[in-house]
Amino acid sequence: MNFSAKQIIFISFMLFSMFFGAGNLIFPPFLGQSAGDHIWLALAGFIVSAVGLPILGVIAVAKVGSLNELNLRVHPLFALIFPFLIYIAIGPGLAIPRAGSLAFEMGAVPFLPENLVEGPISLLLYSIVFFGLAAWLSMYPSKLISLFGKLLTPILLTLIAIIFVKSLMDPIGSFESPVGNYQENPLFQGILEGYLTMDALAALAFGIVIANTLTAQGVLDSKKKSRYMMYAGLGAGLLLTMIYLILGYLGAASSSLGQAENGAIILSNIMTYLFGQSGTLLLGIVFTLACFCVSIGLITSCSQFFSNAIPKVAYKVWVVILAVLSTAIANLGLTQILQISVPILGMIYPIAIVLIFLGLLDDIIKRNPYIYGSVIGFVALFSVLDTINKVFLDSKWSGAFEILPYYIEGLGWIIPALIGLVVGYFLGWLKGSSSVMKTNP
């Protein structure tokens, strides 16, 4: 079966809406205000990592065939453990309950009486309705193209377009001087900010949803499926780039409204300036819609993974389990969850990045198991030790880690990855040489 351009656009919309959550709304405006008149260089760096890495993740999964196939290149045990860590971290462990909590804070709290905001019952009722609706819509993943592509994503894009056009008609202000690291190296700082979105993890997870959706639509040929997944990734990347440019521009122009501590406050200031009190309502709708789309995407992808990993529990049962867990965790308080989940995310993210690049280079390294195993092994060892240092040892080992280039910026895993590449290549060469000697005594 061949897909039309229209169908590919709808799949791109679907993937975009699964990526684009509250965090993606908040990061670019804050970057824009901090970068000032260096905004375009900073945004270029941000797009390289915040868009480039996730889309490369989708392409890597599409190229190899599936995330499981990519993980098996490393080791069967790795293929069993690593996906569970990813899906728990971006699912009920952090991302899904956080989306519901942020939707409540930005979409409901501004309109509730103070006595209801302070009490626990409001969040409980809101999260039950929020995750109940998300679970209901996640029950039928084959219909996600229609839901996202034809309804939710166009509404979200239209709302953001309205905000942008209004900002052109009623200019907010001029760009000011950059602050912090954006003064000296805005491009590199933008790359680091995009890196911190950690959307590459979601890219690996969402591959299963796109693949299953294509199968449900009649695309059974593996090569066609991979090609359409790549098209969807590129389409979603283009949409993300456009939105990040708009949000970054709005943030850079907002300095005249006062400096803010985070992107949510910046957006609130912008919306109040552009639309008055109704701006709070419009911003609440945008946040709620973005969080809702991401929640559906995450519940769907996690449920499909767990139902494949544990076939005795049906997909729809997993949907209910994840929705209930997310509701409970969102109400228990995300502060404690963040204390546990953020270090885990920081530990597995470098592994996910090098896995993506190994998948992209699969033809060049010729599926060499020594390279896969060695690179992942060295990076995993670094990540585990670094996490132990930060979580349990109060950063006592940081002096030794800071020898690594860019460790402070969060990129200390690069040198271990390169060492693993050299060691893996050498081990593969030794194995090849020994095989030749055995066949030619």
Side-chain angles (χ1 to χ4, degrees), residues 42 52 56 67-68 71 152 197 202 207 249 255 276 290-291 297 335 386 390:
L56 288 177
L67 177 58
N68 186 54
N71 290 327
L152 297 181
T197 63
Y249 163 80
S255 295
C291 291
T335 301
D386 187 38
K390 291 176 178 175

Side-chain angles (χ1 to χ4, degrees), residues 158-198:
T158 300
L159 291 173
I160 293 175
I162 290 171
I163 296 169
F164 179 58
V165 171
K166 177 64 174 174
S167 72
L168 296 178
M169 296 170 60
D170 190 6
I172 302 171
S174 58
F175 298 170
E176 296 189 4
S177 299
V179 298
N181 294 331
Y182 288 103
Q183 293 176 320
E184 299 296 328
N185 200 337
L187 180 67
F188 184 68
Q189 187 61 30
I191 291 174
L192 291 177
E193 291 294 332
Y195 170 78
L196 293 174
T197 63
M198 295 195 176

Side-chain angles (χ1 to χ4, degrees), residues 19-63:
F19 274 123
F20 193 73
N24 306 80
L25 273 169
I26 291 172
F27 272 106
F30 188 72
L31 175 147
Q33 189 172 91
S34 301
D37 52 17
H38 287 172
I39 176 63
W40 304 119
L41 271 176
L43 275 175
F46 184 83
I47 289 167
V48 165
S49 53
V51 177
L53 279 176
I55 301 314
L56 288 177
V58 174
I59 292 173
V61 171
K63 184 177 180 181

Side-chain angles (χ1 to χ4, degrees), residues 84-312:
F84 270 96
L85 291 176
I86 290 180
Y87 282 98
I88 290 172
I90 69 165
L94 174 61
I96 301 176
R98 183 179 65 180
S101 180
L102 285 170
F104 174 74
E105 291 292 334
M106 299 300 296
V109 167
F111 309 102
L112 293 174
E114 189 172 340
N115 62 318
L116 289 179
V117 172
E118 294 177 353
I121 190 66
S122 297
L123 176 58
L124 176 61
L125 292 175
Y126 182 91
S127 56
I128 289 173
V129 174
F130 182 90
F131 289 117
L133 286 172
W136 175 57
L137 293 172
S138 300
M139 289 291 182
Y140 308 98
S142 61
K143 297 182 179 180
L144 288 182
I145 290 181
S146 296
L147 177 65
F148 286 138
K150 298 179 181 179
L151 180 61
L152 297 181
T153 304
I155 293 173
L156 181 61
L157 294 175
T158 300
L159 291 173
I160 293 175
I162 290 171
I163 296 169
F164 179 58
V165 171
K166 177 64 174 174
S167 72
L168 296 178
M169 296 170 60
D170 190 6
I172 302 171
S174 58
F175 298 170
E176 296 189 4
S177 299
V179 298
N181 294 331
Y182 288 103
Q183 293 176 320
E184 299 296 328
N185 200 337
L187 180 67
F188 184 68
Q189 187 61 30
I191 291 174
L192 291 177
E193 291 294 332
Y195 170 78
L196 293 174
T197 63
M198 295 195 176
D199 275 347
L201 285 178
L204 293 175
F206 290 155
I208 188 173
V209 179
I210 303 300
N212 288 345
T213 301
L214 289 170
T215 300
Q217 295 292 317
V219 181
L220 303 178
D221 182 75
S222 59
K223 290 184 178 179
K224 282 186 179 180
K225 191 178 296 183
S226 296
R227 185 167 71 249
Y228 291 145
M229 286 177 67
M230 291 181 187
Y231 290 160
L234 293 172
L238 180 60
L239 288 172
L240 286 170
T241 298
M242 292 169 57
I243 300 303
Y244 288 155
L245 290 173
I246 290 172
L247 294 174
Y249 163 80
L250 291 173
S254 71
S255 295
S256 60
L257 304 179
Q259 296 297 312
E261 296 180 356
N262 58 61
I265 297 174
I266 292 172
L267 284 175
S268 295
N269 292 339
I270 291 170
M271 296 301 289
T272 301
Y273 174 84
L274 292 175
F275 299 97
Q277 292 302 314
S278 61
T280 303
L281 175 61
L282 184 58
L283 183 61
I285 294 172
V286 171
F287 260 92
T288 302
L289 197 56
C291 291
F292 191 60
C293 290
V294 165
S295 296
I296 295 172
L298 288 172
I299 290 174
T300 301
S301 59
C302 290
S303 298
Q304 289 183 343
F305 168 76
F306 287 123
S307 64
N308 288 333
I310 309 174
K312 291 184 179 180

Side-chain angles (χ1 to χ4, degrees), residues 352-401:
I353 291 175
V354 295
L355 185 65
I356 287 170
F357 281 105
L358 288 171
L360 294 171
L361 298 173
D362 194 56
D363 293 337
I364 296 175
I365 62 179
K366 303 184 186 303
R367 304 186 182 186
N368 189 321
Y370 298 99
I371 291 179
Y372 272 94
S374 182
V375 171
I376 294 296
F378 273 90
V379 172
L381 178 62
F382 162 81
S383 294
V384 169
L385 292 176
D386 187 38
T387 301
I388 291 173
N389 173 51
K390 291 176 178 175
V391 176
F392 300 106
L393 300 179
D394 197 26
S395 299
K396 290 182 180 179
W397 295 348
S398 292
F401 281 114

